[in-house]
Amino acid sequence: MTKKASEPKARKKVKRTGTSSIWGGRFNAGPSSLMEAINASIDFDKRLYLQDIAGSKAHAQMLVVQKILSVSDGNKIQAGLDTIEKEISSGTFEFDTSLEDIHMNIENRLSQLIGEVAGRLHTARSRNDQVATDLRLWVRDAIDNIDVALKDFQQVLIYVADEHAASIMPGFTHLQAAQPVTLGHHMLAYVEMFGRDRGRLQDCRTRLNECPLGAGALAGTSFAIDRQSTASALGFTKPMVNSLDAVSDRDFAVEFLAAGSLLGVHLSRMAEEVVLWSSPQFGYIKISDQFSSGSSMMPQKRNPDAAELIRGKSGRIIGSLNSLLVVLKGLPMTYGKDMQEDKEPVFDVADTLGLCIAVMAGLVGEAEFNLERMKADSGRGFTTATDLADWLVRVAEIPFREAHNITGKLVKIAENKGCDLAELELSQMQSVEASINEDVYSVLGVENSVASRTSTGGTAPANVAAAAKAARKRFLI
Ligand code: ARG
């Protein structure tokens, strides 16, 4: 008989007995369909199959070394788990809702494949330490994937920054043009933010990388297990110290969602800028056809849907963080089935972030910047007023507060005349402050302004080019 043919038959057997073959010993009747519906997590926790199988293999191997399991039983279990992994990967595995979750689906299939030896795998283990281990492994992989995606994204941003180290644009505070900056500097600001996001996820990774396996249901086990070996086999730094904590807390998932939320917020802020900048009113960027969409009614429209969705999805990510925090807040130690609700937020956030990062990288990498427009805007709104005040401090040795006041008066004159500060005549300036001379014009253009911002972390093109180079070393190697 082929394995495939035997599968449905054995599954029917489970259903006919009514009670669970895995925990139904003390029950006379099986669960109602409603109970099954609320209890089952297989529809989503099937995503843990690789981690579950890796955990089972490490556990079985340890049981053999510790002589709790015979070598031949251990080999059968390893081979059976290999088969199951192939079946699930290739899509031939039939998941069964009545078997609740991924752990029981796999165990049940193992018993179909290797018979009652399968029942020995669960020696010195509970689903409680099993699921805690699986989810830690899954989040660890998710962090590694997000890290790669963020690194690729930073590469795009650094490339744009380098190209535009000297491209001038308005810098804003309160969304009012404040001082000229460079586009490269603006891009590198995001490189820093995403760099810290990577750092936060790494911190989370470091803290989560301890192994719950061997904690059993909650109290540990009477078998002479070797927790260090299972921890090492699964790439954990060490076993978790306290068995109750090991099965009880999901703080690592919360940390992942919190770091993910902040990353989502950074993406959202950037998305908001894409939305603003791509509007005809700003006209700073043109989103490529590949990342734009049209309107079904207005033929002229070119909408930034991708950016809007990234902005919108951050709400969903923050919602996931909230949802897990609320699930956990009233739980007494240790495990409660409430914790089964930990997975969907985690999966959804990992998926959503993966998509948003890739889309944002594509969108920014392909966007066209309207440099003339940005530069023209950068001088509007008296954005070099601070340069004038600084000149008064530096050259005329006037205290900054007074220089600020004098400059304010000059701005008022220019505003009334409808001209720029650089367009004021020297005599007009001197009527406000006698010590002003010709040299003042050297700081009034936007180029002069950005070139003068050479303080550490400042926007001077030379600084930005150097910062882009440094960012490559810091983030991309
Ligand atoms: N599906 C369960 C979860 O995700 C596995 C652990 C079940 N443990 C239990 N004692 N019922 O939390």
Side-chain angles (χ1 to χ4, degrees):
M1 214 195 295
T2 67
K3 280 172 199 158
K4 254 188 158 176
S6 70
E7 194 182 311
K9 216 173 168 192
R11 195 155 294 136
K12 263 187 214 130
K13 202 167 140 202
V14 171
K15 279 185 177 156
R16 237 181 291 130
T17 62
T19 61
S20 167
S21 67
I22 287 170
W23 50 248
R26 73 187 299 282
F27 293 87
N28 296 321
S32 91
S33 59
L34 279 174
M35 177 57 198
E36 199 173 290
I38 195 170
N39 206 26
S41 53
I42 188 62
D43 281 350
F44 51 87
D45 70 13
K46 58 172 79 149
R47 291 184 68 171
L48 296 174
Y49 81 95
L50 283 175
Q51 291 74 17
D52 196 71
I53 290 171
S56 288
K57 287 176 123 183
H59 181 67
Q61 172 63 23
M62 178 278 292
L63 292 179
V64 169
V65 173
Q66 296 301 105
K67 302 198 172 4
I68 300 166
L69 190 67
S70 73
V71 173
S72 98
D73 286 353
N75 288 342
K76 281 183 200 147
I77 288 171
Q78 298 290 348
L81 289 170
D82 282 338
T83 304
I84 293 170
E85 185 176 324
K86 281 189 203 109
E87 287 177 352
I88 301 180
S89 305
S90 65
T92 58
F93 190 98
E94 282 176 42
F95 292 101
D96 185 340
T97 317
S98 71
L99 291 166
E100 281 184 42
D101 56 26
I102 186 65
H103 324 294
M104 304 220 289
N105 268 269
I106 289 178
E107 191 178 327
N108 183 65
R109 178 70 184 133
L110 191 62
S111 71
Q112 291 170 352
L113 291 170
I114 66 170
E116 70 178 14
V117 172
R120 297 190 184 276
L121 171 60
H122 217 51
T123 311
R125 186 178 75 167
S126 152
R127 273 190 293 158
N128 295 353
D129 57 343
Q130 194 177 355
V131 73
T133 305
D134 292 3
L135 193 60
R136 278 174 190 261
L137 290 172
W138 198 94
V139 172
R140 197 174 73 185
D141 286 348
I143 289 174
D144 292 344
N145 292 335
I146 292 172
D147 188 66
V148 171
L150 280 176
K151 188 174 168 185
D152 289 349
F153 182 28
Q154 284 179 308
Q155 186 163 17
V156 171
L157 294 170
I158 294 170
Y159 180 86
V160 176
D162 201 29
E163 199 180 339
H164 295 292
S167 305
I168 299 176
M169 64 170 282
F172 298 91
T173 61
H174 314 269
L175 197 58
Q176 315 276 326
Q179 291 176 349
V181 296
T182 74
L183 176 55
H185 200 47
H186 197 102
M187 290 295 145
L188 289 180
Y190 282 111
V191 170
E192 295 298 319
M193 295 183 214
F194 295 121
R196 286 192 297 275
D197 287 322
R198 287 177 69 187
R200 265 182 288 273
L201 287 166
Q202 285 309 316
D203 292 346
C204 166
R205 191 192 194 284
T206 304
R207 254 186 308 279
L208 75 69
N209 206 23
E210 295 181 2
C211 190
L213 205 57
L218 76 164
T221 174
S222 55
F223 290 96
I225 58 172
D226 176 359
R227 291 191 60 204
Q228 185 58 56
S229 82
T230 41
S232 308
L234 294 168
F236 288 110
T237 51
K238 57 179 191 212
M240 286 184 77
V241 166
N242 182 297
S243 66
L244 303 176
D245 175 44
V247 297
S248 178
D249 210 349
R250 294 293 183 267
D251 56 355
F252 66 96
V254 171
E255 276 192 52
F256 171 67
L257 298 176
S261 293
L262 201 37
L263 165 56
V265 166
H266 285 155
L267 287 165
S268 179
R269 293 185 68 173
M270 187 170 212
E272 166 63 9
E273 296 205 311
V274 170
V275 172
L276 281 174
W277 291 10
S278 64
S279 70
Q281 285 69 21
F282 269 80
Y284 291 178
I285 61 169
K286 185 174 169 203
I287 304 172
S288 75
D289 288 358
Q290 279 190 291
F291 289 99
S292 300
S293 53
S295 153
S296 57
M297 186 182 185
M298 299 164 283
Q300 85 284 9
K301 288 296 285 293
R302 184 182 184 84
N303 291 330
D305 292 35
E308 292 169 283
L309 283 164
I310 290 169
R311 194 176 56 186
K313 283 177 192 294
S314 66
R316 179 166 146 180
I317 293 169
I318 295 164
S320 292
L321 167 63
N322 270 321
S323 111
L324 185 56
L325 284 169
V326 177
V327 164
L328 295 177
K329 78 176 264 304
L331 294 189
M333 289 237 270
T334 54
Y335 178 84
K337 194 68 175 250
D338 320 45
M339 285 163 150
Q340 183 162 283
E341 294 292 311
D342 59 4
K343 290 166 204 65
E344 285 164 293
V346 165
F347 295 157
D348 190 62
V349 165
D351 293 345
T352 305
L353 284 173
L355 181 63
C356 290
I357 297 165
V359 169
M360 195 54 118
L363 193 156
V364 173
E366 288 188 21
E368 262 176 50
F369 295 93
N370 185 339
L371 300 178
E372 293 89 86
R373 180 90 177 235
M374 287 179 146
K375 187 169 176 195
D377 251 11
S378 72
R380 260 197 265 147
F382 309 105
T383 56
T384 55
T386 317
D387 298 273
L388 176 49
D390 288 349
W391 184 91
L392 290 167
V393 170
R394 211 172 31 243
V395 183
E397 293 183 2
I398 295 171
F400 182 78
R401 279 287 156 238
E402 198 187 331
H404 184 286
N405 193 268
I406 295 166
T407 308
K409 288 182 182 150
L410 293 171
V411 166
K412 199 166 159 193
I413 296 174
E415 202 169 28
N416 289 338
K417 292 190 65 177
C419 73
D420 207 18
L421 281 174
E423 286 160 1
L424 287 179
E425 279 163 26
L426 187 58
S427 57
Q428 278 171 320
M429 294 209 211
Q430 285 169 340
S431 70
V432 176
E433 170 52 46
S435 63
I436 297 180
N437 61 39
E438 276 291 335
D439 181 61
V440 77
Y441 293 101
S442 71
V443 299
L444 290 183
V446 290
E447 265 105 355
N448 294 329
S449 172
V450 294
S452 72
R453 298 287 194 268
T454 52
S455 56
T456 304
T459 197
N463 279 31
V464 176
K469 202 167 163 204
R472 254 191 201 109
K473 283 214 187 92
R474 288 165 59 213
F475 297 118
L476 305 184
I477 289 170

